Amino acid sequence: MTERADAGPRPVRAPRGNTLTCRGWQQEGALRMLMNNLDPEVAERPDDLVVYGGTGRAARDWACFDAIVRTLADDETLLVQSGKPVGVLRTHEWAPRVLIANSNLVGDWANWEEFRRLEALGLIMYGQMTAGSWIYIGGQGILQGTYETFGAVARKRFGGSLAGTITLTAGLGGMGGAQPLAVTMNGGVAICVECAPDRINRRIAHHYLDAKTESVESALEMAVLARHEGRPLSIGLLGNAAEVVPRLLAMNAPINIVTDQTSAHDPLSYLPVGIAVEDWHRMAEKDPDWFTTEARESMAAHVEAMVGFKDAGAEVFDYGNSIRDEARRGGYDRAFDFPGFVPAYIRPMFEEGRGPFRWAALSGDPADIAATDRAVVDLFPDDEHLRRWITLAGEKVRFEGLPARICWLGYGERHRAGLRFNEMVASGEVSAPLAIGRDHLDAGSVASPYRETESMADGSDAIADWPLLNALVNTASGASWVSIHQGGGVGMGRSIHAGQVCIADGTELAARKLERVLTNDPATGVIRHVDAGYPAAAGVAAARGLRVPMWEG
């Protein structure tokens, strides 16, 4: 591959408006969403092509990025192997314009050591979830799922609201930064520990976080006062979670809920006790094995304190970053004494194919999102929880990069929204096409024994056939681009997951594709849970005419 002279870091921002730079909107949508992932408003480290999660990249290097951008002008199917465009093949009009595979390693080699060896050779990159599949929408992308999770915690334990509670968590990066706003949107108080001051400042600037302090005592005082007054409040506390969480436990702090969203899935992205933030990445690069050991020991202390809060009566859960397993590897034998968030709160929604549905306005015009917000509420007038989310999101969410929205919709609902959006593009009710996708964290698109498929009813936690089937059926159904990744937010060797994106460009062909993809994609979630023996999923399948051969007749 010949590198261009401008192959180094530079500011990237997706085109706006309704003028094409590619041959068609399917390619244009992929181009704009790739660029949007690297917008300085969106990405954690755009110069390094890192979107979120410490190491989740949109492209392997800048030369690969430039080659992808050039190639998306063609009307064929581009193959992308771990962020590198490796081939262009003639397919057909229903075929995806891009097929992506990120960081997939063979069984015995699916570990960080082998991945880093290959990464050092320039042969692979870590795609996280929506980073390497070009459908990241900033903090809002995880915010809605976090809002749903804390809402489920409130319904299970606190009478439907987090008012009068204090949540303790850590991590304010690309994923964790949604936590403070999700807690306050549910009426609660949050203390969010973060070791990097720039992340705290960014969340305050984006109105996801209300206040900041460097004092544990000050944070606790502010939290207790806000709880007493029944006032939602989020506090960013500068410090190392492996020190702060044990300290708060020792203080008998009145904490009601404990979780974590540090980048614990990758030990090199978790700051060990005793290492300064400014030395973090240099020391991790210099001796990754030593750093991994130090990080795991710190995670063990962190998780031990979380278990201590559980023993004291708090609601404690793993929010999908694999910190329990890393703490186990660090020597703590009670690391799995608290559950993951999916079996604890989310699985009933997955049983009915309900999960994260997101869309971005390729025009760049916030008015287009306002129009789609109204359309979603009109489509589902009886869903008060959805209406509340859309209303709060319109009031509180700051767009990062291209304006976007996310909400949770189920099997039988997503295709209705997609078709309505396509009609809005055709009629001019929105000014340019919309990119419609989802988080990879969905009902049928992930095999992850420490997160989405933890404690499945039939013991099938580790079976990875399901996300592969999901990717295949989305490819066959007409998605604009489809991806299969390993790792995600739980680390190498711990998950396989698939993603899809469709472009609603207002054409009849797009409508036919949208109806099939947005029906079949969540259907795999229902089928997966029917097969695992969940009666509610079987009821959904029977009621909606979804065929599951081994359950028929």
Side-chain angles (χ1 to χ4, degrees):
M1 180 186 302
T2 302
E3 293 192 2
R4 293 169 45 163
D6 63 349
R10 84 298 301 250
V12 173
R13 189 169 185 264
R16 268 64 172 167
N18 56 16
T19 300
L20 286 167
T21 61
C22 295
R23 187 172 297 185
W25 276 107
Q26 304 297 308
Q27 301 92 326
E28 184 77 22
L31 175 76
R32 294 193 187 192
M33 294 309 297
L34 164 62
M35 290 182 164
N36 192 61
N37 271 17
L38 295 171
D39 190 306
E41 288 189 355
V42 176
E44 283 187 358
R45 302 199 327 265
D47 284 357
D48 299 322
L49 297 163
V50 171
V51 182
Y52 70 89
T55 55
R57 284 180 164 81
R60 193 182 304 180
D61 54 40
W62 283 101
C64 289
F65 170 82
D66 289 330
I68 291 170
V69 169
R70 293 195 301 272
T71 309
L72 282 171
D74 292 332
D75 188 23
E76 295 161 306
T77 295
L78 172 65
L79 304 182
V80 178
Q81 180 262 320
S82 283
K84 177 182 179 180
V86 293
V88 180
L89 301 175
R90 176 66 62 189
T91 51
H92 55 83
E93 65 179 3
W94 277 76
R97 296 279 66 87
V98 190
L99 292 171
I100 301 171
N102 283 318
S103 50
N104 294 289
L105 295 176
V106 174
D108 283 350
W109 287 268
N111 56 65
W112 280 121
E113 292 75 20
E114 179 64 12
F115 171 82
R116 289 182 181 123
R117 185 185 74 82
L118 294 168
E119 185 182 40
L121 294 172
L123 299 174
I124 200 167
M125 77 166 198
Y126 196 60
Q128 264 284 358
M129 289 184 152
T130 54
S133 61
W134 313 340
I135 189 61
Y136 186 60
I137 58 172
Q140 185 188 177
I142 190 65
L143 171 63
Q144 209 271 336
T146 309
Y147 166 82
E148 294 282 352
T149 298
F150 279 110
V153 172
R155 290 189 294 274
K156 176 181 177 180
R157 181 79 183 268
F158 301 104
S161 171
L162 295 185
T165 68
I166 299 175
T167 294
L168 172 63
T169 187
L172 290 174
M175 302 299 284
Q179 295 177 107
L181 184 53
V183 172
T184 57
M185 288 173 80
N186 278 288
V189 176
I191 298 174
C192 305
V193 184
E194 171 55 57
C195 62
D198 59 316
R199 292 178 181 173
I200 293 177
N201 293 334
R202 179 174 183 171
R203 295 306 164 192
I204 286 178
H206 290 183
H207 306 295
Y208 275 51
L209 186 67
D210 297 322
K212 65 178 180 177
T213 181
E214 298 183 17
S215 164
V216 172
E217 291 78 9
S218 174
L220 192 55
E221 182 180 346
M222 286 191 285
V224 170
L225 178 61
R227 183 182 68 170
H228 176 73
E229 295 175 348
R231 172 171 50 90
L233 179 70
S234 58
I235 304 150
L237 172 57
L238 184 66
N240 189 306
E243 295 177 306
V244 172
V245 178
R247 182 175 172 189
L248 285 167
L249 177 65
M251 294 168 66
N252 295 314
I255 303 298
N256 306 99
I257 302 162
V258 182
T259 188
D260 179 66
Q261 264 286 58
T262 57
S263 294
H265 65 282
D266 178 357
L268 300 188
S269 296
Y270 184 100
L271 182 66
V273 171
I275 296 177
V277 172
E278 55 268 25
D279 296 329
W280 182 353
H281 299 296
R282 177 181 59 81
M283 295 182 75
E285 184 176 349
K286 180 180 178 181
D287 191 343
D289 292 339
W290 170 83
F291 195 96
T292 293
T293 299
E294 293 292 308
R296 284 174 173 159
E297 289 179 359
S298 289
M299 282 188 252
H302 184 170
V303 170
E304 183 177 8
M306 293 174 72
V307 171
F309 275 111
K310 179 180 182 295
D311 291 344
E315 185 79 6
V316 182
F317 61 95
D318 180 308
Y319 198 47
N321 62 351
S322 205
I323 194 169
R324 292 174 299 171
D325 193 50
E326 293 296 336
R328 178 190 64 80
R329 297 183 185 202
Y332 182 55
D333 60 6
R334 291 186 63 195
F336 283 85
D337 274 21
F338 54 88
F341 75 106
V342 172
Y345 315 114
I346 300 299
R347 182 144 296 138
M349 288 188 273
F350 279 0
E351 291 174 47
E352 59 185 64
R354 191 171 183 84
F357 175 88
R358 63 176 63 179
W359 62 99
L362 299 179
S363 65
D365 187 350
D368 286 348
I369 295 299
T372 55
D373 282 350
R374 293 189 295 270
V376 168
V377 171
D378 289 345
L379 276 173
F380 308 107
D382 298 327
D383 192 332
E384 288 300 324
H385 186 71
L386 173 63
R387 178 186 295 272
R388 181 171 184 271
W389 160 255
I390 292 292
T391 300
L392 286 170
E395 294 171 353
K396 295 179 178 291
V397 171
R398 176 188 181 276
F399 295 136
E400 300 167 69
L402 291 171
R405 185 68 76 226
I406 185 171
C407 66
W408 277 39
L409 295 177
Y411 174 61
E413 296 177 332
R414 298 189 202 182
H415 76 280
R416 293 175 58 196
L419 290 173
R420 178 71 184 97
F421 291 173
N422 200 59
E423 292 169 359
M424 295 171 75
V425 175
S427 68
E429 194 173 347
V430 297
S431 60
L434 302 165
I436 302 173
R438 57 162 169 75
D439 196 346
H440 291 206
L441 187 163
D442 200 17
S445 65
V446 187
S448 182
Y450 298 143
R451 191 166 62 189
E452 290 84 356
T453 54
E454 179 178 339
S455 302
M456 293 295 289
D458 63 347
S460 61
D461 303 21
I463 293 176
D465 295 335
W466 299 97
L468 304 181
L469 288 171
N470 175 268
L472 289 169
V473 78
N474 282 320
T475 300
S477 300
S480 299
W481 64 95
V482 178
S483 56
I484 300 175
H485 300 198
Q486 186 174 106
V490 291
M492 288 306 305
R494 296 184 180 130
S495 74
I496 301 290
H497 47 95
Q500 62 80 16
V501 184
C502 297
I503 301 300
D505 62 13
T507 63
E508 176 58 31
L509 178 60
R512 293 163 63 198
K513 292 179 178 180
L514 287 162
E515 183 168 22
R516 292 191 190 182
V517 172
L518 298 179
T519 298
N520 295 341
D521 182 42
T524 65
V526 178
I527 292 168
R528 201 269 183 264
H529 288 83
V530 171
D531 191 76
Y534 290 90
V540 169
R544 300 181 188 174
L546 177 59
R547 296 192 61 191
V548 186
M550 298 300 290
W551 286 71
E552 291 179 345

